[in-house]
Amino acid sequence: MVVSPPSPPTGLDAQFPIAIQPAASLTNLSMPQKGNFLGFSVELSVVGQILGLNSSFLAPPFLNYIANLKERIGFGPSIRVGGNTQDQSTMYDYTFPDKYGHPQMVYKWYDTVNGNPTGTPNINFAEELIYTMGNITGLLGTTWFFGLQFDQPYNDSNALVVAETIETVLGDHLISLQLGNEPDLYASHLRRPSNYSIQDYFTEFQSYLGNLEASPTPNKKIILGPSVCCDWTTDQVFEAGYLSQFGNYLNVVGLMHYPNNNCAIGGAIAPQDALDAYLTHQSALTFAQLYSGVIPEAEAAGLPLVLLETNTASCGGFPGISDAFTAPLWAIDNALMLASVNLTNMMLHIGGQSDSYNPFTPPPGNMSAYSQWTTGAIYYATLAVAEAIGSSNLSQIIDMQTSSEFRPAYAIYESGVPTRVALFNYASDDTGASDYQAVVTLAGATVPAEVYVRYLSAPSIAEKFNITWAGQTMGGVFQSDGRLQGTQVTETIECDTTNNQCLIPMRAPSFALVFLSQSALTASSPSTSSTLTFATTSLTKKVGAGNILVNPAVLATMNGEGGPGTRYLGSTGKSNASAGARQFVIPAMGSLLGLAIGCVLAAGLR
């Protein structure tokens, strides 16, 4: 689907002032932020399609998508595994064969009572998944959030074993364990009685924590919550005493929010009707305002706030918006806004094959032998935000509160020095009439002789694939192996030091990241000498069997009654059933020795 761009805004000047103030004069700079602020949330039911077949056969395109970000920030991005399917999940000590006999990490099945609008299945997952996550960390230094089942809160022995196992395997690379996903929707999704309340949720939450305290799980202060989204607010949960009652076990406050929905709840929303709200800075302001009361309470309790799951719209997003150039503009603006008010992560959700909002999507199983992946438009936002915040872990961000909602801007400071400026042009106009020059000035200082600019560009907000970041693209449908294509372009713009201004051209539509020094540019740039890449030529095929990587078509039709065999009820012992596939790299070692990865590792020039 393709939407029609709205009429360009009128009454805006061709030159637009961007006055950068001294850090000492600002009272609302953010806390220092990390370059992995914008990460990914992977629905548990699709981890086999996204991460790879198992710990030995990882998906090379996925590794490349993650490596792109590590190259820009110097360490691994954060990834969440969970979502609606986590609450009805059970871990087993063996894998599940597909129709070719290849082991899969996830088995989906459906019960007769399921009121979730996304048609959420029940999930059996193999312990192998945790070792797969560990091997990805061994390669790329990723850190993880993981969702525990909460469907049967008084029968939590399996969830406790998951907690113990994943803490043991991932160690310090496990950030937090999410206990309960959107519990405010349990009643409407027929997972709890219709009168299910916040106090009922507290009672269940406390039951699990009591059992966690008595368990051998190494770290007890590892829980993320409350992860409410819709029928309750986080403010309401806090007012009921959440932080005081459970603070000894919490290490992260989890938030869940989508700005709109495509679930057809209360009637379907046409993408064309929803479009305008995504093309204005007001969207980011409204998003941040939702948490104006929660943020200081969490900060006072010493707890970071993570937007654990979001995207352009729930239930897969809007075709024409979520899969087009509108999406990265929206995501960059919202990420920088939330970073400016002291959230610590924003995680873009990844769902199934048909979801419009996916940052990247593997080909269907019957095409996986000859097709590559498809990069969603919103993936480009992760590159831009990684470079905007950079690798120093010192970046402080401020919304510059410009005079136009169609031309927002952010300034980024490191150790009190302005290093980067983020500029937007939300107008979609190929005539040139909506282009403008951002007049960047430095109050109390002189602009540098030159600045360096990287653009996120597309012909229109409706464009889906002709998108470039710094001149590079990820290709079209089934054309990506996760590596950027083309030559990186960084434009050098001479500044007027006499008049203390730099004129930055802003085409419509576009995003620009202005580096105010060569050192700032270098700190956000991939190495020009060598990079670790993951080749997609693989030795994972068997004659007559197609690609050994997980076949989504098979996953989608695997129904049953929970699968045969014994699930974990209180032991972390490893059975022989999965030992043949598992090749585990201890993350702390950072070594590839012993990893029989099912793709060819190609370390060298890109």
Side-chain angles (χ1 to χ4, degrees):
M1 178 178 182
V2 178
V3 298
S4 299
S7 299
T10 59
L12 297 176
D13 294 332
Q15 289 195 326
F16 193 72
I18 303 292
I20 302 174
Q21 302 300 317
S25 69
L26 302 172
T27 59
N28 54 343
L29 278 174
S30 75
M31 68 181 188
Q33 293 284 7
K34 294 183 178 181
N36 64 353
F37 182 89
L38 190 56
F40 303 108
S41 165
V42 183
E43 187 67 41
L44 177 61
S45 59
V46 301
V47 290
Q49 298 160 254
I50 301 299
L51 306 187
L53 176 64
N54 54 44
S55 62
S56 299
F57 294 96
L58 307 179
F62 171 76
L63 298 178
N64 285 327
Y65 284 118
I66 301 303
N68 292 335
L69 302 178
K70 181 180 181 181
E71 290 170 359
R72 286 160 170 78
I73 60 178
F75 49 94
S78 294
I79 303 172
R80 176 259 192 143
V81 173
N84 285 330
T85 51
Q86 78 184 53
D87 273 325
Q88 297 90 245
S89 66
T90 303
M91 185 174 78
Y92 289 77
D93 63 350
Y94 54 80
T95 54
F96 313 98
D98 66 10
K99 66 181 181 181
Y100 303 117
H102 302 142
Q104 299 180 113
M105 297 186 295
V106 173
Y107 180 96
K108 300 191 292 189
W109 59 282
Y110 295 83
D111 57 23
T112 56
V113 180
N114 191 333
N116 193 300
T118 59
T120 304
N122 295 283
I123 295 296
N124 297 343
F125 70 91
E127 182 192 23
E128 181 71 13
L129 169 60
I130 297 173
Y131 290 90
T132 298
M133 295 162 59
N135 278 354
I136 293 169
T137 293
L139 290 167
L140 295 168
T142 47
T143 52
W144 302 86
F145 300 88
F146 192 84
L148 301 174
Q149 75 87 10
F150 202 58
D151 189 47
Q152 302 178 52
Y154 301 112
N155 182 18
D156 55 16
S157 58
N158 189 267
L160 290 168
V161 173
V162 174
E164 181 184 355
T165 304
I166 198 167
E167 281 196 44
T168 301
V169 171
L170 295 182
D172 291 342
H173 289 89
L174 175 66
I175 301 173
S176 195
L177 294 170
Q178 181 194 10
L179 183 60
N181 184 76
E182 301 174 345
D184 51 323
L185 296 181
Y186 286 173
S188 61
H189 291 175
L190 308 183
R191 295 293 180 179
R192 297 292 194 279
S194 60
N195 61 348
Y196 186 73
S197 68
I198 291 175
Q199 286 304 321
D200 293 328
Y201 164 64
F202 279 16
T203 301
E204 295 175 351
F205 205 82
Q206 183 59 59
S207 174
Y208 176 88
L209 295 180
N211 292 332
L212 176 68
E213 182 64 42
S215 77
T217 302
N219 180 13
K220 316 296 185 185
K221 192 176 176 64
I222 192 69
I223 299 299
L224 177 151
S227 308
V228 299
C229 69
C230 309
D231 293 345
W232 309 335
T233 67
T234 307
D235 296 88
Q236 290 172 329
V237 177
F238 277 16
E239 289 167 5
Y242 184 78
L243 292 179
S244 59
Q245 186 169 342
F246 306 121
N248 289 338
Y249 296 92
L250 297 170
N251 72 337
V252 175
V253 171
L255 309 172
M256 316 281 281
H257 182 67
Y258 290 82
N260 212 327
N261 82 84
N262 193 29
C263 306
I265 298 174
I269 299 172
Q272 189 68 58
D273 296 338
L275 176 62
D276 288 6
Y278 291 91
L279 295 172
T280 165
H281 185 53
Q282 187 59 47
S283 174
L285 293 170
T286 300
F287 208 138
Q289 185 62 32
L290 291 173
Y291 304 112
S292 60
V294 170
I295 291 169
E297 289 192 59
E299 289 179 335
L303 295 172
L305 291 103
V306 170
L307 182 59
L308 195 65
E309 179 179 326
T310 192
N311 213 303
T312 44
S314 58
C315 295
F318 291 119
I321 294 176
S322 305
D323 54 359
F325 192 60
T326 297
L329 295 178
W330 171 87
I332 298 167
D333 197 358
N334 278 267
L336 294 178
M337 171 57 70
L338 295 176
S340 77
V341 297
N342 290 346
L343 270 67
T344 57
N345 284 101
M346 170 177 161
M347 317 298 279
L348 297 174
H349 199 54
I350 302 170
Q353 281 283 330
S354 61
D355 288 346
S356 299
Y357 58 35
N358 288 344
F360 37 79
T361 307
N366 59 355
M367 297 174 59
S368 60
Y370 55 86
S371 293
Q372 298 193 76
W373 289 35
T374 300
T375 304
I378 204 168
Y379 176 77
Y380 292 90
T382 65
L383 301 173
V385 171
E387 293 192 22
I389 299 178
S391 58
S392 69
N393 296 336
L394 298 173
S395 291
Q396 294 177 275
I397 301 158
I398 187 169
D399 175 15
M400 299 187 69
Q401 301 179 359
T402 66
S403 59
S404 172
E405 62 182 315
F406 304 107
R407 297 175 177 180
Y410 297 85
I412 296 101
Y413 297 75
E414 295 179 12
S415 302
V417 177
T419 56
R420 302 170 185 86
V421 183
L423 305 171
F424 295 78
N425 189 346
Y426 272 119
S428 190
D429 182 358
D430 60 6
T431 69
S434 299
D435 295 358
Y436 73 92
Q437 282 186 322
V439 183
V440 177
T441 59
L442 287 178
T446 303
V447 296
E450 60 185 24
V451 294
Y452 313 94
V453 185
R454 288 177 178 162
Y455 287 100
L456 181 65
S457 302
S460 161
I461 57 90
E463 177 59 46
K464 298 187 178 185
F465 299 109
N466 185 16
I467 300 170
T468 58
W469 169 244
Q472 294 180 301
T473 185
M474 301 298 297
V477 180
F478 304 138
Q479 292 181 352
S480 181
D481 64 359
R483 294 181 286 187
L484 285 156
Q485 304 166 18
T487 302
Q488 187 178 68
V489 176
T490 304
E491 299 190 18
T492 301
I493 295 178
E494 303 293 328
C495 296
D496 182 350
T497 55
T498 301
N499 293 307
N500 192 30
Q501 62 183 22
C502 303
L503 303 181
I504 312 300
M506 291 297 299
R507 295 176 291 276
S510 67
F511 166 80
L513 183 58
V514 182
F515 299 87
L516 300 178
S517 68
Q518 181 64 55
S519 59
L521 175 66
T522 301
S524 291
S525 299
S527 170
T528 57
S529 57
S530 66
T531 50
L532 179 65
T533 63
F534 301 86
T536 53
T537 50
S538 146
L539 302 177
T540 61
K541 297 178 183 178
K542 291 186 178 181
V543 176
N547 198 314
I548 197 171
L549 295 180
V550 164
N551 183 332
V554 174
L555 279 174
T557 57
M558 289 184 68
N559 301 323
E561 295 298 323
T566 304
R567 72 175 190 172
Y568 273 129
L569 295 177
S571 170
T572 57
K574 303 174 184 62
S575 76
N576 292 330
S578 58
R582 183 176 303 131
Q583 302 279 343
F584 178 56
V585 177
I586 299 173
M589 293 176 62
S591 170
L592 300 183
L593 295 177
L595 176 60
I597 190 169
C599 63
V600 177
L601 273 177
L605 295 179
R606 179 171 286 184

